[in-house]
Amino acid sequence: MPTYRAFQVTDQRHFELVDRDLVDPAPGQVRLRVLTCGVCHSDVLAVEGQRSDPATPLVPGHEVVGVVDAVGEGVTGWAVGDRAGLGFLGGPCGQCEWCRRGDYVNCTDQPLPGTSVDGGYAEMVYARASGLVRVPAGLDPVTVAPLLCAGITTFNALRVADAPPGSLVAVQGLGGLGHLGVQYAKKCRRSRNSPGAAVT
Ligand SMILES: [Zn+2]
Ligand SMILES: [Zn+2]
């Protein structure tokens, strides 16, 4: 059986480079060939063993950009060769009470790549199709990867804040998240000279 390489972690900071069997994606899933995976502070949950069963090997990583390598039964809208991104929320179930309300973040049946299921510190990752976002071919995967966790976190903070275009926004801290928050805020402002026009 063909295999792929993955960095798995067990217990506390015990990393191993292992070979995993390359199997077909389950129904509703795709298999991604990983192009790059960002490193997020939340990876510490897996690396430091702060999960329910740290003795079970887990592949960290939830800022994955990859190319669809195989498509499972029942998946629509994705084809082999498509470029896709996978973040911390690995795909809502679409059936639980929270999903029916449109509150996908609180889905009670959602895999968390790199935390509850294997993530992107590997050559391949398996993902629910409902958790994928499209990544245009012209974008650099290394640039895109942080947008899949740090980026969406700061973008949503701006989106739900009472800060319409033109507002003065303060971003506390200029680390992995903050530097993206500043850029989003800048892109969202409007020109004083031409109300309604976005400034880029
Ligand atoms: Zn759900
Ligand atoms: Zn993260």
Side-chain angles (χ1 to χ4, degrees), residues 67-134:
V67 176
V68 176
D69 184 66
V71 177
E73 187 183 324
V75 172
T76 58
W78 293 96
V80 171
D82 288 346
R83 191 175 281 209
L86 175 68
F88 186 77
L89 300 174
C93 74
Q95 297 179 3
C96 73
E97 180 181 348
W98 296 102
C99 280
R100 292 201 300 272
R101 292 179 181 180
D103 189 355
Y104 304 118
V105 171
N106 287 310
C107 172
T108 57
D109 179 22
Q110 177 150 233
L112 303 176
T115 299
S116 70
V117 297
D118 286 339
Y121 287 18
E123 292 177 321
M124 296 284 183
V125 66
Y126 296 85
R128 251 188 205 172
S130 62
L132 301 178
V133 294
R134 293 197 183 279

Side-chain angles (χ1 to χ4, degrees), residues 19-117:
D19 290 322
R20 296 279 182 98
D21 289 339
L22 190 71
V23 298
D24 292 334
Q29 286 190 340
V30 304
R31 189 175 70 210
L32 292 178
R33 179 167 51 81
V34 177
L35 298 174
T36 191
C37 181
V39 176
C40 175
H41 180 73
S42 298
D43 292 339
V44 77
L45 297 174
V47 174
E48 295 289 348
Q50 296 174 18
R51 50 195 175 96
S52 59
D53 183 13
T56 300
L58 180 78
V59 180
H62 58 263
E63 295 181 353
V64 187
V65 179
V67 176
V68 176
D69 184 66
V71 177
E73 187 183 324
V75 172
T76 58
W78 293 96
V80 171
D82 288 346
R83 191 175 281 209
L86 175 68
F88 186 77
L89 300 174
C93 74
Q95 297 179 3
C96 73
E97 180 181 348
W98 296 102
C99 280
R100 292 201 300 272
R101 292 179 181 180
D103 189 355
Y104 304 118
V105 171
N106 287 310
C107 172
T108 57
D109 179 22
Q110 177 150 233
L112 303 176
T115 299
S116 70
V117 297

